[in-house]
Amino acid sequence: MTDTPVNLDSLRERIDELDNEILRLISARADCAKQVAEVKTQSDPGAVFYRPEREAQVLRRIMELNPGPLNSEEMARLFREIMSACLALEQPTKVAYLGPEGTFTQQAALKHFGESAVSMPMAAIDEVFREVEAGAVNYGVVPVENSTEGVVSHTLDSFMDSSIHICGEVVLRIHHHLLVADTTLRDKVSRVYSHPQSLAQCRKWLDAHYPRAERVPVSSNAEAARMIKSEWHSAAIAGDMAAKLYGLEKVAEKIEDRPDNSTRFLIIGSQHVPMSGEDKTSIVVAMRNQPGALHDLLEPFHRHSIDLTRLETRPSRTGVWNYVFFIDFKGHVDEPRVAAVLEEVRLRASEVKVLGSYPVGVL
Ligand SMILES: O=C(O)C(=O)C[C@]1(C(=O)O)C=C[C@@H](O)C=C1
């Protein structure tokens, strides 16, 4: 198809008119958000500005109404950024994430909070918890499970000795690439650095393409990307953010063994999140070590037709809690049927802690 100059000019004129309209509307929306902030502060001087349930509702509504031709995810991402900028007008949001810069956790933080949030890398998962608990940041982002490699046990363990709540979740498709620096001798790669989980997620690909290269586990894939800058015979497995941050080239793209490889991250904070209409609840339950304990624990969920989305067992670190189960299920603690199940579970367990109810990840 060829555009005549006349057509192109008139189309661009139309685009300019539409941009004027979009500009006017976004500014009016931002004004509204500022007024929302005033209303919130008037009713409560210690008001919480970020409202995960409302954000989830806004994004779901946009996805439902989207007439195309942009796909719904793309459209929601645009609105994600508009809301992020509006929230920054109300109050700049500080978010700690498991660093260093360039990790998938940073990507998850940006996906969830948008580019207007101020994100700060932390060296370890418990540091993210500590920063949130100390009030040095508003929220934290930590990985919790990967579709190929399973649970991130460090995150679950951190909840056991913390008063932190879960305020949200975000799922990220994980694409790994084999990266080299411009000084790397590509046919002499004898060492591949990455996080142990990433090495495991690319095991078959490495067996097929670099069977003799030494696989070196390091603390994060961003750290792997940083290290190979000074080693001419080494490559790193990492994602797009790390590749961009360290100016590396992709020798091979999307080398993860499973194409549906994804990681779920949790947003942690101190607020109770009201119902959004499509929510999940996470609890941790301690049971006595006796036959049938797991059956007793799960039976009320089955009877009340509550969908379990995840069940994880962790060894207890105190003598009192023999078995500790992390359970995620559909529903919100403010729903009567969920409250009823929790009441029954409390009678059967030696300890129950509700980690939080939060909107099912939208993007
Ligand atoms: O509705 C609110 O409470 C707002 O603050 C407005 C708004 C938005 O831009 O839509 C902004 C931030 C909140 O996290 C949720 C929504």
Side-chain angles (χ1 to χ4, degrees):
M1 207 176 80
T2 54
D3 275 315
T4 67
V6 177
N7 270 342
L8 184 61
D9 282 350
S10 60
L11 282 170
R12 284 185 173 164
E13 243 171 63
R14 176 80 185 121
I15 284 179
D16 283 344
E17 280 167 19
L18 290 167
D19 283 349
N20 293 349
E21 191 74 350
I22 294 170
L23 189 62
R24 191 182 63 74
L25 292 173
I26 292 178
S27 303
R29 192 189 191 287
D31 262 332
C32 252
K34 275 173 82 176
Q35 288 175 44
V36 167
E38 278 162 32
V39 172
K40 283 180 189 167
T41 331
Q42 273 161 19
S43 57
D44 173 8
V48 180
F49 296 94
Y50 170 60
R51 300 291 168 93
E53 79 291 359
R54 173 66 184 155
E55 296 210 351
Q57 286 162 349
V58 169
L59 295 178
R60 284 179 199 143
R61 199 176 81 89
I62 291 298
M63 289 174 94
E64 252 172 57
L65 291 177
N66 177 36
L70 288 181
N71 76 41
S72 296
E73 284 225 345
E74 201 61 59
M75 190 59 98
R77 265 199 291 276
L78 293 174
F79 275 80
R80 156 76 287 144
E81 287 307 327
I82 293 173
M83 263 197 298
S84 177
C86 287
L87 177 61
L89 269 185
E90 295 186 35
Q91 180 205 45
T93 307
K94 281 198 260 171
V95 181
Y97 65 91
L98 176 65
E101 257 187 285
T103 52
F104 287 112
T105 316
Q106 184 184 23
Q107 205 175 317
L110 291 176
K111 185 178 178 192
H112 190 82
F113 287 98
E115 298 275 343
S116 300
V118 180
S119 60
M120 302 166 178
M122 298 292 140
I125 287 173
D126 20 316
E127 256 181 64
V128 179
F129 274 77
R130 268 204 300 277
E131 289 288 291
V132 177
E133 257 173 337
V137 295
N138 305 98
Y139 302 96
V141 183
V142 286
V144 69
E145 60 180 312
N146 177 270
S147 57
T148 320
E149 284 307 301
V151 68
V152 182
S153 38
H154 212 94
T155 294
L156 294 187
D157 291 346
S158 299
F159 279 112
M160 288 202 222
D161 358 82
S162 157
S163 58
I164 290 291
H165 287 269
I166 302 175
C167 305
E169 64 168 8
V170 53
V171 178
L172 202 66
R173 256 298 169 68
I174 302 290
H175 294 305
H176 290 303
H177 317 302
L178 189 77
L179 306 172
V180 292
D182 48 8
T183 48
T184 314
L185 298 180
R186 292 178 180 217
D187 50 353
K188 296 250 168 14
V189 169
S190 61
R191 201 180 272 172
V192 178
Y193 288 99
S194 197
H195 186 273
Q197 281 221 352
S198 308
L199 288 171
Q201 287 162 23
C202 304
R203 192 183 298 125
K204 284 193 198 138
W205 189 90
L206 285 170
D207 288 347
H209 295 86
Y210 289 86
R212 276 186 288 279
E214 183 192 358
R215 296 170 201 183
V216 186
V218 289
S219 59
S220 72
N221 22 40
E223 172 64 8
R226 191 189 63 78
M227 286 175 76
I228 63 158
K229 293 285 286 181
S230 54
E231 294 186 18
W232 58 265
H233 58 101
S234 299
I237 293 177
D240 285 316
M241 278 196 92
K244 212 153 108 193
L245 185 67
Y246 293 103
L248 301 177
E249 289 166 39
K250 293 178 193 170
V251 176
E253 280 189 67
K254 299 186 180 173
I255 62 170
E256 57 277 2
D257 296 333
R258 292 180 52 153
D260 59 347
N261 187 30
S262 55
T263 297
R264 179 169 168 253
F265 299 84
L266 294 176
I267 313 303
I268 56 172
S270 45
Q271 85 201 70
H272 168 85
V273 180
M275 282 195 266
S276 76
E278 207 189 326
D279 302 285
K280 249 185 204 178
T281 297
S282 298
I283 60 174
V284 51
V285 182
M287 296 294 282
R288 278 173 213 95
N289 190 1
Q290 61 194 29
L294 183 58
H295 175 267
D296 284 354
L297 170 61
L298 299 183
E299 190 275 327
F301 289 94
H302 177 68
R303 193 158 22 84
H304 288 266
S305 307
I306 289 184
D307 266 1
L308 298 183
T309 55
R310 192 173 63 112
L311 173 71
E312 217 64 63
T313 314
R314 296 287 303 147
S316 159
R317 291 180 304 171
T318 69
V320 194
W321 293 23
N322 289 317
Y323 271 121
V324 180
F325 298 104
F326 283 87
I327 304 175
D328 287 354
F329 57 89
K330 292 265 182 76
H332 192 286
V333 279
D334 293 346
E335 283 173 60
R337 68 188 183 113
V338 172
V341 166
L342 288 179
E343 212 35 62
E344 287 187 40
V345 170
R346 278 195 182 97
L347 293 176
R348 297 168 189 213
S350 49
E351 187 101 32
V352 179
K353 187 160 145 186
V354 177
L355 300 179
S357 290
Y358 49 91
V360 170
V362 181
L363 277 177

